[in-house]
Amino acid sequence: MSRSAYEDDIRLAHRLADVAADIIRPFFRAPLTIDLKADHSPVTKADRGAEQAMRAILEQERPEDGIFGEEMGVSRPDARRLWVLDPIDGTRAFIGGRASFGTLIALVEDGRPVLGIINQPIHQERWVGVKDLPTSFNGEVIHTRSCPALDHALLATTSPWLFEKEGEVHFDKIRLKCRDTLLGGDCYNYGLLSLGHCDLVVEQGLKFYDFAALVPIVEGAGGIMRDWQNRPLNKNSVGEVIAAGDHHLIEPALSAMEL
């Protein structure tokens, strides 16, 4: 990877991914106590332990930066630089023994993601995206594939049941115009898109920690991520997300959704 103004941050993000992976692996396909959060989503000791370990490193190494984690909330929210952590994106998949979950680590400056990591600790797969650098997968530069037409596109989403009622209607409209649809995957879908294995990801109801790390990865691989109004994503985005491997797909895809 080329030199970057974020070189020290990249090294730190790798440390965070490593420590989270070491905590998560022993829990995979092992007996687990599962708690339900206020929104009825599941959480485990692996989620909490991985986030706690990453936060401890950040408190020591970047005491002036903010931290926003899915499990433990926000520290120093007004900081210009904010580390955004989702220790296990895809906890349901993790609980079910599927290795399609990932640890998401993002660095956000002035509300915009500038660095992102997806780490899949079981397959030992790691995507790294950094502003103004090409995205890498296990150290090798990767790129999305060309697919300018919807009827040739492979569409992915985690689950149609995660859409709100009206959102599901919009999703069905684009689904019927694509070649095929891939269900399941959480953050892993965006990694596959960046590798050129699918063409579109459409989701609703995401939180900032669900997508902050994905933006530099997708865009550094040649793709594009927007909200459903075709606006760049930032910390104030409402969580209606579309990712396209080919820039030419974004407008036809949004038009097909009839928003």
Side-chain angles (χ1 to χ4, degrees):
M1 184 174 283
S2 304
R3 293 290 299 176
S4 165
Y6 298 101
E7 203 71 26
D8 289 341
D9 297 312
I10 296 168
R11 282 193 289 268
L12 178 57
H14 279 294
R15 278 184 62 196
L16 300 178
D18 289 341
V19 72
D22 288 343
I23 290 169
I24 291 167
R25 283 193 201 100
F27 289 98
F28 185 64
R29 296 182 182 169
L32 278 172
T33 298
I34 302 164
D35 298 322
L36 291 180
K37 296 187 284 189
D39 63 358
H40 301 288
S41 63
V43 63
T44 71
K45 284 186 178 180
D47 300 78
R48 294 186 179 115
E51 181 171 325
Q52 187 173 30
M54 290 190 286
R55 294 179 82 106
I57 292 172
L58 288 170
E59 291 290 356
Q60 181 175 10
E61 299 291 336
R62 298 288 190 275
E64 295 182 359
D65 291 354
I67 306 172
F68 176 26
E70 177 178 9
E71 309 305 338
M72 299 175 188
V74 185
S75 301
R76 297 176 293 280
D78 296 328
R80 189 181 75 85
R81 289 164 44 100
L82 181 71
W83 292 86
V84 183
L85 310 174
D86 190 345
I88 300 181
D89 182 77
T91 299
R92 290 183 178 88
F94 173 75
I95 291 168
R98 293 185 177 183
S100 57
F101 67 92
T103 297
L104 299 181
I105 299 162
L107 174 62
V108 175
E109 289 186 341
D110 299 320
R112 302 271 181 159
V114 296
L115 183 159
I117 281 182
I118 303 171
N119 193 62
Q120 211 306 307
I122 309 305
H123 294 316
Q124 298 186 45
E125 296 175 324
R126 187 171 297 179
W127 290 259
V128 181
V130 184
K131 181 182 177 182
D132 299 327
L133 290 181
T135 293
S136 67
F137 174 70
N138 287 352
E140 300 294 327
V141 171
I142 59 173
H143 204 280
T144 59
R145 68 186 179 191
S146 174
C147 181
L150 272 182
D151 59 358
H152 287 76
L154 176 58
L155 170 67
T157 195
T158 301
S159 171
W161 298 287
L162 296 176
F163 289 88
E164 298 172 3
K165 186 175 182 180
E166 186 176 344
E168 188 175 355
V169 172
H170 293 306
F171 176 75
D172 277 341
K173 290 180 183 296
I174 187 174
R175 177 182 63 82
L176 293 171
K177 294 185 179 181
C178 290
R179 174 173 59 84
D180 208 346
T181 303
L182 181 68
L183 298 181
D186 300 284
C187 64
Y188 206 75
N189 286 332
Y190 300 84
L192 293 174
L193 182 142
S194 298
L195 284 165
H197 295 302
C198 65
D199 305 293
L200 285 168
V201 185
V202 176
E203 293 186 294
Q204 187 179 40
L206 301 188
K207 303 294 192 294
F208 192 41
Y209 49 71
D210 293 315
F211 66 80
L214 307 176
V215 175
I217 292 169
V218 168
E219 297 191 344
I224 184 171
M225 280 187 72
R226 291 289 189 266
D227 68 10
W228 289 5
Q229 307 305 315
N230 204 11
R231 298 173 299 205
L233 296 166
N234 57 52
K235 68 177 183 178
N236 297 316
S237 298
V238 298
E240 297 176 339
V241 169
I242 182 167
D246 190 320
H247 283 233
H248 294 98
L249 268 186
I250 197 78
E251 290 189 6
L254 291 169
S255 177
M257 293 171 71
E258 299 182 11
L259 296 163

